[in-house]
């Protein structure tokens, strides 16, 4: 014999109904944007350099990291102006691009993280090559074929060709494009 | 012969004393062998003065110009009396270029390899027993020496490159500069020292010249000197007194120093100066950079302290070859 639903049963179901209603309300009112979450996560992560495959490099040296106390070991006296602009961290590596029939092209890449976007942008304007040209596909990037500077959010990318053989723009731009695709905006 | 536990004869005494002596000797030898002299507790070593007595009739600084950096070195040194005036047969010479950066010669962040190699050749021709070329690089030292062309050029000239990860650093008496800094030991054991800076822009100090080049023989913590960089540079000039200074202005990095990178920042000057007055050498280098010596506080302070003269008119210009 079945018991008929009573007030007691209703009391048992009510919390479940309330929880479901609250979840539904949250879902419609405060839906999290996955892109925003990713952006926040990336902004709080350490600065990164692109994987060699993503910029079509043959190889990349071990990535070295620097902080406010060790930056001078990478850039000596230039460190002071970086520190004054809120430098936080840096990663650096050497990329090698090998093409059949020509000697390899090597590019050093350094990404400097600042406390605010203003710090990165100030140094971008200070160090950008005076006769630089824009880099296709990368906003806020300039190169003169030997050096490339790009800025995105709190990060400043500086890439320098360190092997002979003419215009290194294709390799510098490849690093910048790959980096720009990963950097927090 | 027998003896009980409480007494022993002379032979037993000698045996025990010998064993104890051997044990003590082994401990002492082990301590001497494993003792790390590379500790702050070691006694600071004095910085030698590598200068030679002045010779009458020679100018303090000579500059030579032309497209061949090695020829410029030869002409400038010859006008000073030749390398034989500075290096005697059998001596150990240390050549200190600027090899701080993973850059090509064309990028002008390091001393030109042809200048360094020619100095090595001149030292060897003068009879130097050993010519060591070294610097504490900022970037990866092996890449710096290879990319700059200095490793290959020095080897071909008969010199020996010691990259910074092979250098031994020892506490030195740098009381006027900073406490607790260490110095390259090879420098302290050299009998003659030739400082070979490149002329270039430096974001903090305005210029990197000869006196600033001594940063490259200091170990960890040298960044402390950046806090009062002009005074520190003058202090380094008072501390390190080279036999000869050879200033490389083959290519001059005019902006974004010290590391540079862009070829647009580089100007071909094609000049080398050599001399025994490090302040005058720096004053000449400043002019090649387009800076008045009076605008560089380090040069002014060094001149005021009597470490040399900053009057560029005293430099003997040999003209273009």
């Amino acid at each position: 014999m079945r018991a008929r639903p009573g007030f007691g049963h209703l009391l048992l179901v009510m919390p479940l109904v309330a929880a479901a209603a609250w979840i539904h309300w949250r879902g419609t009112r405060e839906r999290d944007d996955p892109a925003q979450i990713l952006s926040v996560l990336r902004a709080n992560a350490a600065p990164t350099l692109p994987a060699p495959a993503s910029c079509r490099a043959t190889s990349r040296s071990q990535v070295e990291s620097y902080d406010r106390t060790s930056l001078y070991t990478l850039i000596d006296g230039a460190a002071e102006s970086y520190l004054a602009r809120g430098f936080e961290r840096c990663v650096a590596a050497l990329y090698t691009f090998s093409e059949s029939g020509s000697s390899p092209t090597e590019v050093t890449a350094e990404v400097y993280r600042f406390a605010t976007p203003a710090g990165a942008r100030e140094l971008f304007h200070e160090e950008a090559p005076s006769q630089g040209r824009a880099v296709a596909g990368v906003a806020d990037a300039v190169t003169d074929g030997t050096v490339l500077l790009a800025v995105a959010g709190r990060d400043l990318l500086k890439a320098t060709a360190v092997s002979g053989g003419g215009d290194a723009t294709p390799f510098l731009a490849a690093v910048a494009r790959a980096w720009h695709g990963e950097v927090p905006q | 012969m027998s003896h009980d536990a409480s007494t022993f004869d002379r032979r037993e005494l000698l045996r025990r004393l010998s064993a104890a002596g051997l044990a003590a000797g082994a401990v002492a030898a082990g301590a001497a062998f494993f003792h790390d002299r590379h500790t702050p507790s070691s006694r600071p070593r004095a910085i030698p003065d590598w200068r030679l007595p002045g010779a009458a009739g020679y100018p303090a600084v000579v500059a030579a110009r032309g497209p061949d950096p090695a020829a410029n070195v030869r002409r400038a040194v010859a006008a000073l009396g030749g390398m034989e005036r500075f290096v005697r047969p059998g001596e150990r010479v240390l050549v200190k270029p600027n090899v701080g950066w993973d850059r090509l010669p064309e990028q002008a962040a390091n001393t030109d390899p042809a200048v360094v190699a020619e100095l090595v050749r001149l030292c060897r021709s003068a009879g130097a027993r050993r010519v060591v070329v070294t610097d504490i690089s900022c970037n990866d030292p092996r890449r710096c020496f290879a990319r700059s062309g200095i490793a290959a050029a020095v080897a071909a000239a008969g010199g020996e490159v010691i990259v910074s990860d092979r250098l031994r650093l020892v506490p030195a008496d740098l009381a006027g500069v900073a406490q607790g800094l260490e110095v390259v030991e090879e420098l302290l054991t050299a009998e003659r020292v030739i400082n070979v800076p490149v002329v270039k822009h430096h974001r903090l100090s305005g210029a990197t010249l000869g006196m600033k080049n001594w940063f490259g023989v200091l170990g960890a913590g040298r960044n402390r000197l950046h806090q009062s960089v002009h005074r520190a540079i003058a202090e380094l000039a008072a501390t390190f007194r080279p036999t000869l200074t050879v200033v490389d202005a083959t290519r001059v990095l005019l902006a974004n120093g010290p590391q540079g990178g862009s070829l647009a920042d580089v100007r071909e000057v094609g000049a080398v100066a050599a001399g025994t007055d490090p302040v005058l050498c720096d004053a000449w280098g400043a002019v090649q950079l387009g800076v008045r010596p009076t605008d560089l506080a380090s040069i002014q302070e060094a001149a005021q302290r009597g470490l040399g003269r900053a009057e560029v008119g005293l430099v003997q210009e040999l003209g273009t070859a």
Side-chain angles (χ1 to χ4, degrees), chain A residues 61 64 69 72-78 80-82 94 106 108 110 112 123 126-131 144 146-147 158 160-164, chain B residues 101-104 107 137-140 143 147 202-204 208 212 215 219-223 226-227 256-265:
Chain A
S61 68
E64 294 175 348
T69 58
Y72 83 96
T73 64
L74 175 68
I75 59 173
D76 191 46
E80 299 300 326
S81 63
Y82 280 63
L94 177 76
E106 292 189 304
T108 62
E110 297 144 15
Y112 300 88
L123 277 160
E126 192 173 305
E127 294 196 10
S130 55
Q131 296 168 354
D144 64 357
T146 311
V147 169
K158 185 174 181 182
T160 307
V162 287
S163 51
Chain B
W101 309 99
D102 186 6
R103 295 286 186 263
L104 295 163
Q107 291 168 311
S137 307
C138 291
N139 298 154
D140 180 287
R143 291 212 309 257
R147 188 100 58 198
H202 192 283
R203 195 186 304 246
L204 183 63
T208 286
K212 171 78 170 63
F215 270 69
R222 67 188 188 190
N223 61 313
H226 291 149
Q227 304 306 316
N256 292 314
Q259 71 269 51
S262 174
L263 298 179
D265 294 334

